[in-house]
Amino acid sequence: MLGFLARRTATGLLMLVALSVLIFGLLRLTPGDPIDAYINPSVPMSTSDLAVLRDRLGLDQPLPVQYFAWARAAISGDFGYSIQRSGIPVLPLVMDRVGPTALLMGAGLVIAIVVGVAAGIVSAVRRNAWPDISMSVLSFVGISSPPFLSALLGLYFFSVLLGWAPSGGMQTPGAPYSLLDVLGHLILPAVLLSIGHAALIMRYMRASLLEVLNQDYVRTARAKGVKEFWVIVKHATRNALLPVITLIGSTIGIAVGGAIFLESVFNWPGMGLLLVNAVSTRDYPVIMGATLVIGACVIFVNLLTDVAYAFVDPRIQVS
């Protein structure tokens, strides 16, 4: 297990390096001059002043030199300073947003897993009956609904039209901190984030469970007189969860994209909103820092997913 973790950690570090190179190169390929983000357009600057500023920021160096200078500082925890936030260090700024995003994504994924697995089991057990047909229709609708459409429709119906949930933010402005207040603001974006993932998990769980229910050991358990409830829960569901675990791990990255839309719509103070604002203001250091932190989180979750295989199915050996 330790050797497996070491190899996967090394692979994850290489992926982070590749991600940093890709993002750094793409940012430099965007239209415009990076120096424009550092100057006030209303304040005229001479050519010599621009040259001095470019030299101080290292923007007059070749791209490989610029990247290695940034990477050398990033390894020590220095991701630079935000351009648009009066020189605030990037790393504390990004880490302050990790908690709200983790809360939103964690709540959304928990809802998606619970609802998706339960609906998949019911749909497989009641195959071709009305629960299966209705859940299949709902799952296709959920899979086909893009996150921004679900967010806008959910905001309009449940916040504006019905007034059942707050329309944005993480807590009520001016009110003292309250866990119930945070949960009240969390429930709607978390449910909306879970829709597509729950639908996808339901489809995978249904297909996997139907395949497992036709295995010989399930028929043997039934022939021995084991109650149908325990046949489903103890013998079939555990083995049917393997493809679902794979799906959950691979959808973390997709959930990040959905969280970016939801945080923008609901003004949720997380990584997504920070990244959107950084892109709109061309805050390059924040874009680099936020992207790397998100990438590290996705790689870490995928590592946990691989380790979870061994606990769900003892036949799988990690090596």
Side-chain angles (χ1 to χ4, degrees), residues 55-190:
D55 176 71
R56 183 167 63 87
L57 296 173
L59 296 177
D60 58 338
Q61 301 293 326
L63 286 182
V65 176
Q66 295 182 38
Y67 171 77
F68 283 111
W70 174 87
R72 191 182 306 113
I75 291 175
S76 63
D78 181 11
F79 287 86
Y81 296 87
S82 172
I83 301 173
Q84 302 297 329
R85 290 176 173 80
S86 302
I88 298 176
V90 170
L91 189 58
L93 179 64
V94 171
M95 297 309 295
D96 286 343
R97 301 296 188 100
V98 172
T101 295
L103 177 63
L104 175 60
M105 289 184 57
L109 289 177
V110 167
I111 296 172
I113 293 170
V114 172
V115 174
V117 170
I121 293 174
V122 173
S123 185
V125 172
R126 302 295 302 276
R127 182 182 182 184
N128 296 329
W130 70 264
D132 181 28
I133 297 174
S134 59
M135 290 180 185
S136 296
V137 172
L138 291 176
S139 69
F140 284 123
V141 174
I143 294 173
S144 304
S145 301
F148 68 88
L149 180 61
S150 301
L152 292 175
L153 291 178
L155 178 65
Y156 175 72
F157 281 106
F158 296 105
S159 294
V160 178
L161 194 61
L162 300 176
W164 290 356
S167 59
M170 191 173 174
Q171 58 187 32
T172 304
Y177 177 82
S178 169
L179 180 59
L180 291 178
D181 187 30
V182 174
L183 293 177
H185 286 76
L186 172 67
I187 186 65
L188 180 58

Side-chain angles (χ1 to χ4, degrees), residues 174-239:
Y177 177 82
S178 169
L179 180 59
L180 291 178
D181 187 30
V182 174
L183 293 177
H185 286 76
L186 172 67
I187 186 65
L188 180 58
V191 170
L192 294 174
L193 179 62
S194 70
I195 290 176
H197 303 288
L200 201 56
I201 291 173
M202 178 263 173
R203 298 302 303 171
Y204 270 74
M205 188 66 197
R206 178 185 182 276
S208 180
L209 188 57
L210 285 176
E211 182 179 356
V212 170
L213 288 175
N214 291 323
Q215 299 296 320
D216 292 337
Y217 66 87
V218 175
R219 287 193 288 265
T220 301
R222 287 170 173 164
K224 289 181 178 180
V226 179
K227 292 184 179 180
E228 185 67 17
F229 175 81
W230 294 114
V231 170
I232 300 298
V233 173
K234 185 177 180 180
H235 295 276
T237 300
R238 182 175 180 179
N239 292 318

Side-chain angles (χ1 to χ4, degrees), residues 242-266:
L242 277 177
V244 178
I245 293 176
T246 306
L247 175 68
I248 293 171
S250 62
T251 55
I252 297 298
I254 302 175
V256 172
I260 290 176
F261 285 112
L262 284 165
E263 289 181 5
S264 301
V265 172
F266 285 91

Side-chain angles (χ1 to χ4, degrees), residues 41-60:
S42 63
V43 178
M45 293 187 68
S46 64
T47 304
S48 59
D49 291 337
L50 287 175
V52 171
L53 180 60
R54 192 183 300 274
D55 176 71
R56 183 167 63 87
L57 296 173
L59 296 177
D60 58 338

Side-chain angles (χ1 to χ4, degrees), residues 1-5 7 306-310 315-319:
M1 177 66 75
L2 291 178
F4 169 77
L5 292 176
R7 287 192 296 273
D306 291 340
V307 174
Y309 290 164
R315 297 172 298 177
I316 294 179
Q317 300 291 327
V318 292
S319 59

